[in-house]
Amino acid sequence: MDNNTPAEKAFLTALENVQSLTQGYSVLFLRFSALREENRTIEKVRRVCNQYRQMLDACSPQFFEFINQNVAIIAKRVRPSTFEGMMTYLINTYPNDREIYNTKTPVFKVYSLDTEFNKVYKIAQDVVQEWEKKKSTIVQKQDVPLAPEHLDNILINIKGFNILRLIRRQEALRISASGFEGIFFEYFTSMGDLKKAIAPDVNVLSNQWLFQYLSRTLDIRMLSIFSDIFAHTKKAISLNLNIETLFTKEFDDFLSNMPEGIKFVAEVQMADIMQNPRNYMEAKDLLHEAGHQILIDSLTPVAFNYLNLNTYDPDLIKLLWPFKGMSEKEMVQLQQAIEPIDKSKIVLMRVENEDSLGWGLMNGIDKFQGYMIDNLSNTICQKKCTLKCPKKDCADRKGRIWGKIRDACKNQSRLDAPFETNIKRS
């Protein structure tokens, strides 16, 4: 292929070349353009493609990376189990991106050229037409990979930046026979918003080690605004922190200044724990001595199959409910996997509908977090408020602790009140 030939036209030509011998050929479309911005960087797309090249090594694969970030692959005699493995790899790479589970316009779509050549050829023609329309106006802006020379400037920008602008929060809820009860507010920063503010032209996620250093700096900035966080929290706070941060002076100051009656939950990642289990155990003991808790965050259903979580003995565990839901077989497997775990420790996160909420309740889980919980919280907040603002405005204000959006609320103490109601479930 001529290096100057666009991938869109090369893909159309490749299809024409195999038109007379389509038996055994498949085409895989990867719609990376639908993923969240941080998940469709050039580095991440290439990483997935490189893994797929290895998985398809014996199938003479041809890869076509389009200008709109989508990818097409032509390969011969691919086993169904290989495609299943490729899909599993994609889910494990982007477990938190809901578009991965979109069944109407899937990110991962396989066609057999034996029976669907005309359909694929029409798609290829459309791809070329799209390229023709956009080629004169599209200028691909490629973020520069994060490098040591960028880090100093980014860190300076972070130190001088009002991080309160980027703070968001989400409430976790307990459901009991007597009603609903808020258990903590989780405070976090949006990496997408932060990137736009401090490093719009740098891909801050491209270097694992430098990003880890950057995330520890963000931890310190978050801890430094403790007075603002405390002022807007009545019951309990959770922060997602690196384990190393739990041994810093800034964290000691954070705990020392915490008002009486407020509890703290440190949310840590399993990958961080596995790098240094001893640090995790020491951090857990330190938190317990101070009367606080530790939580293992964002565990996928697959994790319960190979991790003995009782070994780590966390106070809480967050189970990530897949956006696509689960098949009956997968549900049974997950039920079996969580059986040895104390259900009172599990927080089911990404709860978006009654199916996920119902599954949790049916399996002894009483703690939840997600968009459906946000809606419940906002509804109760509105009912207990004398002001009748639009529901969306109330939701936006409740999720913030600073800025013009929140300042528009005339009853801000109501926004900070934990979710509590004695409405019984029927």
Side-chain angles (χ1 to χ4, degrees), residues 144-186:
V144 178
L146 180 62
E149 56 267 27
H150 303 126
L151 196 57
D152 286 342
N153 287 335
I154 291 174
L155 295 179
I156 291 171
N157 289 342
I158 288 175
K159 290 177 181 177
F161 186 75
N162 181 5
I163 199 169
L164 284 168
R165 290 170 50 188
L166 305 178
I167 297 297
R168 302 292 181 268
R169 65 178 180 178
Q170 188 176 44
E171 195 168 12
L173 161 73
R174 179 188 292 111
I175 297 180
S176 67
S178 59
F180 308 134
E181 177 190 9
I183 53 176
F184 59 72
F185 273 114
E186 177 185 358

Side-chain angles (χ1 to χ4, degrees), residues 102-146:
N102 186 335
T103 57
K104 292 184 179 179
T105 51
V107 171
F108 186 102
K109 177 70 174 177
V110 178
Y111 294 92
S112 169
L113 291 188
D114 291 356
T115 57
E116 300 176 287
F117 180 86
N118 291 338
K119 183 184 293 187
V120 174
Y121 193 75
K122 176 63 169 62
I123 293 173
Q125 290 177 317
D126 292 343
V127 166
V128 171
Q129 287 180 6
E130 181 185 0
W131 175 81
E132 292 283 358
K133 289 179 181 178
K134 294 182 177 180
K135 67 178 180 179
S136 60
T137 58
I138 290 182
V139 177
Q140 279 191 302
K141 182 181 178 181
Q142 301 180 2
D143 285 349
V144 178
L146 180 62

Side-chain angles (χ1 to χ4, degrees), residues 174 183-184 264-268 273 280-281 283-289 291-297 309-310 312-318 341-347 366-367:
R174 179 188 292 111
I183 53 176
F184 59 72
F264 175 69
V265 180
E267 301 196 20
V268 298
I273 295 172
Y280 165 79
M281 293 299 184
K284 183 180 67 171
D285 290 343
L286 289 171
L287 285 166
H288 286 174
E289 288 174 10
H292 302 298
Q293 294 182 315
I294 198 161
L295 177 154
I296 300 180
D297 188 26
L309 292 169
N310 288 325
Y312 302 98
D313 193 26
D315 299 291
L316 295 166
I317 295 165
K318 276 191 179 177
I341 299 170
D342 181 353
K343 305 305 182 299
S344 68
K345 293 186 173 186
I346 299 178
V347 180
D366 67 353
K367 299 177 185 66

Side-chain angles (χ1 to χ4, degrees), residues 204-257:
V204 296
L205 302 175
S206 61
N207 185 309
Q208 177 185 351
W209 304 113
L210 292 179
F211 176 73
Q212 190 171 18
Y213 183 81
L214 174 60
S215 70
R216 289 197 292 268
T217 303
L218 287 172
D219 286 352
I220 301 304
R221 288 289 287 117
M222 177 73 86
L223 294 172
S224 72
I225 59 167
F226 61 76
S227 60
D228 297 279
I229 293 177
F230 296 156
H232 295 290
T233 311
K234 308 299 182 186
K235 192 171 185 178
I237 298 164
S238 84
L239 298 177
N240 200 311
L241 300 172
N242 289 277
I243 292 175
E244 286 186 19
T245 302
L246 302 177
F247 297 96
T248 62
K249 179 184 181 299
E250 288 80 5
F251 183 68
D252 285 341
D253 292 341
F254 176 83
L255 290 186
S256 298
N257 286 280

